[in-house]
Amino acid sequence: MTPETPSEQRERRGQNKKTPSADLSVAVRETERVWRKHHLTYDQTKKVVEQARHHLGLSAPSERRRTVDRLDRYEVEQLVAAAYRRSSLYGLLVKTLFYTGARVSELTRVRVEDVYFDLDPPQVRFTHAKKGSDRFVPILPSLAQELRTHLVARRAGHLFETNRHAHYAARTVQAVVQQAAKDAGLQKHVHPHLLRHSIATLLLDRGMPIDQVQKFLGHRNVTTTQIYAETSTGQMGRSYLTALER
């Protein structure tokens, strides 16, 4: 048997030291290279992941965490205020993301024509909802008025758009939220979808029926919404007091 050369020994030792995280980093870089090559959008990358899981026979674990992280009302207010300090546009973007419970891919595609200011209460229509489940959600009149001011006299185009009149990229919204969280001094890992978690549990805490929260979020199955009910402690507390104070 031919003895290993020093270079071969070093290579073998390097291979033995590889960790799962290192392997994952390689997979991420290779995936990113393929996605860039094919110019995939955010929604298309999600579809690719779903199809790849299907072809590989991968399924979600049978035991999953039954609660979700969220921001409380005070933390949301801090986040929004920090975004406003950066710019009024960023503040309004983060506020709208929270109060509509929208996914980033939904909000960035909302057009001016999708905002119904004259309804009572005003409503926003999401036409790029997940799995094609378009829906209307109500918004506060004060938020609607702020959106009117933001639009000035504009009657077409995206609700939030770049200087080139294109919709914002998901990574841009993510960067805005993360910077606002940093500016606000929030210690949690804050990302756009966390605002969706937060409004869902807040609505349940304040007594909105779970089937209405389901429609608000655009969930096809109420079992998906149930995880927010399990996170909501306010409703449980009221039920506890009601049961014992009779």
Side-chain angles (χ1 to χ4, degrees):
M1 182 176 178
T2 305
E4 290 181 328
T5 65
S7 61
E8 289 174 335
Q9 291 174 354
R10 287 193 297 270
E11 182 179 354
R12 177 172 54 80
R13 285 196 296 268
Q15 290 174 342
N16 291 339
K17 289 180 180 178
K18 281 187 177 180
T19 62
S21 60
D23 291 339
L24 185 60
S25 296
V26 172
V28 169
R29 287 196 298 272
E30 288 299 310
T31 302
E32 181 180 342
R33 182 180 63 79
V34 173
W35 287 359
R36 286 184 185 278
K37 177 181 177 181
H38 295 283
H39 306 287
L40 300 184
T41 65
Y42 179 81
D43 288 334
Q44 288 172 330
T45 59
K46 290 171 64 177
K47 188 67 174 178
V48 167
V49 171
E50 290 175 0
Q51 290 295 317
R53 284 175 176 166
H54 174 73
H55 291 310
L56 292 171
L58 299 177
S59 57
S62 56
E63 297 265 337
R64 303 195 70 163
R65 189 165 66 119
R66 297 306 300 166
T67 59
V68 295
D69 294 329
R70 63 164 174 170
L71 299 175
D72 61 31
R73 189 61 180 269
Y74 177 66
E75 290 172 324
V76 171
E77 290 173 355
Q78 286 182 303
L79 181 72
V80 172
Y84 271 110
R85 287 195 294 272
R86 282 275 168 177
S87 78
S88 59
L89 174 61
Y90 287 168
L92 183 58
L93 176 63
V94 175
K95 179 189 284 188
T96 306
L97 192 63
F98 172 69
Y99 278 110
T100 60
R103 303 175 180 92
V104 172
S105 59
E106 295 172 339
L107 184 62
T108 56
R109 299 302 184 95
V110 170
R111 301 186 64 82
V112 177
E113 307 94 290
D114 297 324
V115 185
Y116 294 78
F117 292 105
D118 297 329
L119 296 181
D120 185 20
Q123 295 186 24
V124 176
R125 182 188 181 194
F126 293 115
T127 58
H128 287 78
K130 189 175 181 180
K131 297 182 179 178
S133 55
D134 294 0
R135 70 186 186 281
F136 286 86
V137 301
I139 59 173
L140 294 172
S142 58
L143 176 58
Q145 183 55 47
E146 196 170 350
L147 289 171
R148 280 183 186 272
T149 302
H150 157 69
L151 292 172
V152 191
R154 189 158 59 87
R155 295 292 180 266
H158 292 96
L159 181 61
F160 296 102
E161 62 181 22
T162 67
N163 292 334
R164 297 183 178 182
H165 306 295
H167 66 80
Y168 277 98
R171 61 179 177 274
T172 301
V173 178
Q174 183 178 23
V176 168
V177 171
Q178 290 177 338
Q179 184 61 56
K182 181 179 180 181
D183 293 345
L186 299 180
Q187 299 303 311
K188 296 178 180 177
H189 173 54
V190 181
H191 50 89
H193 213 70
L194 188 63
L195 296 176
R196 180 173 164 86
H197 296 173
S198 303
I199 188 65
T201 49
L202 175 65
L203 292 174
L204 288 164
D205 275 346
R206 297 296 175 86
M208 179 182 280
I210 193 169
D211 62 317
Q212 293 182 18
V213 176
Q214 174 193 358
K215 292 179 180 179
F216 177 81
L217 296 174
H219 290 159
R220 289 190 174 186
N221 196 317
V222 74
T223 56
T224 307
T225 318
Q226 188 65 37
I227 189 172
Y228 297 108
E230 294 180 12
T231 303
S232 172
T233 56
Q235 188 61 35
M236 178 179 65
R238 283 191 294 275
S239 298
Y240 174 87
L241 293 175
T242 300
L244 298 183
E245 288 180 347
R246 288 177 178 174

